[in-house]
Amino acid sequence: MTTRLLQALAAALVTVVAVVAAGCGGGGDGNAGGTTESTASSALKVGLVADAGELNDNGFNELAYNGLKRAERELGIQGRVVEANSAADYIPNMTSLARQGYDLIIGVGFAQGDAIAATAKRFPNTSFAIVDVDQSTLKGKPKNVQGLLFREQQVGYLVGYLAALEAKRAGAKSISAVGGFKEPPVDRYIAGYRAGAEAAVPGTKVRWGYSQDWEDQAKCKELALNQIAAGSKVVFQVAGGCGLGALSAAKDERVWGIGVDADQSFLGPYVLTSALKGVDSAVFLTIKSLQDGTFEGGKSVSFGIDQDGVGLGKVSPKANKADVAAVEKVEQKLADGEVPDIPTTLG
């Protein structure tokens, strides 16, 4: 992530002023899921709650894990990852961390919103953060929880703009997206994707579907293959590890694929670009704010393209240079606030 991104995210977090109470002590419960732990000399303890098997998804969860590991290296904190085998494990895992005296517990993803709200209510002296959930939407609006949000619709707009231009060069006006679940962050990506495509090439048809899974690549591959058979020339994956199957379908069928969250250009030149989200930096800087005494719950922090909170990944060398230049101009207009409001829902 760029220096400008780190500075911007740091500035956003440092503006928040509060005194963070230390996490409560006590005996620990058994964890419902597997754990990964490393020891550091600092007294600050941070727990990350993730889903089993998702720490190497080349995307969202791996970024959060990388942010925790960076905090271990650079801030000297003690970090622990607890992996949940199912949603039923979220509250037991969070409760266990709180009882073991963890100062900050971070939930990774929209699905953990209800669990973090319930646990935060039980442990008001422990700090919590939740990625991709607006704190104001949580039950009870707990004052010890901070939401970490991103304007996915902005980068969705950019990749949709480029996708429509490339599809037009292939003689088509059809692109598609494969989402995991119908959740606000996923739909913000896809809503922006559709709006960007329409702005670039009016009349472009955008298909999308949901795999109802974050892990099973076969499910996402099947969805993508169906979309390609219906004419899609570009497939945008918004489904975590499952979405790698959608990119595999794009490769097999010789159409463009677009990655999500992390830069997935390493998969090959068929990856047109990736819609980046700075989850790693947000996790790192949230931990740093706790260490600095500037963390505050009871609100959300939102990161957009003007702060490099979202942005384009590497663009394939096979992409048309004129199309790439056109998207770069749109990106600058977005950063300057010159693009009208982008939709955040699909209706």
Side-chain angles (χ1 to χ4, degrees):
M1 205 55 60
T2 65
T3 299
R4 188 158 76 94
L5 169 57
L6 293 177
Q7 291 173 340
L9 293 179
L13 289 167
V14 168
T15 56
V16 181
V17 180
V19 177
V20 181
C24 59
D29 294 339
N31 290 319
T35 64
T36 303
E37 185 170 8
S38 60
T39 303
S41 59
S42 174
L44 187 67
K45 299 169 68 178
V46 180
L48 185 75
V49 180
D51 289 319
E54 291 297 291
L55 296 181
N56 59 349
D57 64 356
N58 293 306
F60 187 85
N61 287 272
E62 188 170 349
L63 286 171
Y65 184 39
N66 289 342
L68 178 69
K69 290 191 293 183
R70 183 182 170 202
E72 290 175 335
R73 294 192 307 269
E74 298 184 19
L75 305 178
I77 62 102
Q78 178 181 331
R80 183 177 186 182
V81 176
V82 183
E83 297 184 72
N85 292 315
S86 71
D89 294 339
Y90 294 152
I91 290 178
N93 287 348
M94 292 175 186
T95 298
S96 179
L97 290 170
R99 287 180 173 169
Q100 291 174 53
Y102 276 76
D103 303 289
L104 174 65
I105 298 169
I106 303 173
V108 183
F110 182 82
Q112 296 189 31
D114 290 344
I116 213 160
T119 311
K121 181 179 179 180
R122 291 182 59 191
F123 298 93
N125 293 324
T126 300
S127 296
F128 294 82
I130 178 75
V131 179
D132 268 357
V133 177
D134 186 344
Q135 183 273 345
S136 68
T137 66
L138 294 176
K139 184 177 181 180
K141 300 180 181 180
K143 297 300 183 183
N144 53 334
V145 177
Q146 184 179 92
L148 304 180
L149 300 177
F150 302 85
R151 300 185 190 106
E152 295 91 349
Q153 69 273 16
Q154 293 183 331
V155 69
Y157 187 93
L158 292 178
V159 298
Y161 200 100
L162 182 58
L165 292 177
E166 292 301 305
K168 182 179 179 181
R169 289 193 181 276
K173 287 178 128 182
S174 179
I175 63 175
S176 62
V178 174
F181 289 85
K182 186 174 175 56
E183 298 176 351
V186 172
D187 280 3
R188 286 196 293 268
Y189 269 129
I190 300 174
Y193 183 66
R194 181 174 64 173
E198 177 63 25
V201 183
T204 297
K205 182 173 181 58
V206 181
R207 295 176 173 85
W208 67 89
Y210 305 93
S211 63
Q212 308 300 329
D213 199 290
W214 294 120
E215 300 177 43
D216 190 344
Q217 294 186 24
K219 291 181 179 178
C220 284
K221 186 165 187 175
E222 181 180 3
L223 269 176
L225 288 172
N226 289 337
Q227 293 171 351
I228 294 167
S232 175
K233 297 299 182 182
V234 186
V235 179
F236 179 27
Q237 83 95 343
V238 196
C242 173
L244 297 176
L247 295 182
S248 175
K251 181 180 180 181
D252 291 349
E253 297 301 315
R254 299 177 181 240
V255 301
W256 289 112
I258 296 177
V260 76
D261 296 334
D263 194 323
Q264 296 176 330
S265 61
F266 66 91
L267 293 171
Y270 74 93
V271 176
L272 179 58
T273 188
S274 299
L276 302 185
K277 184 154 70 168
V279 176
D280 49 350
S281 294
V283 166
F284 171 80
L285 289 164
T286 299
I287 295 169
K288 188 175 187 298
S289 74
L290 182 70
Q291 190 177 70
D292 293 344
T294 57
F295 175 94
E296 182 182 40
K299 66 172 293 180
S300 294
V301 180
S302 181
F303 309 115
I305 203 164
D306 53 330
Q307 305 150 318
D308 279 349
V310 295
L312 288 177
K314 293 179 183 177
V315 178
S316 172
K318 293 186 176 183
N320 181 273
K321 299 297 186 291
D323 293 346
V324 174
V327 172
E328 288 173 347
K329 289 180 180 179
V330 174
E331 183 175 20
Q332 187 58 53
K333 287 182 179 180
L334 269 174
D336 293 340
E338 297 177 7
V339 175
D341 289 342
I342 301 170
T344 58
T345 61
L346 291 166

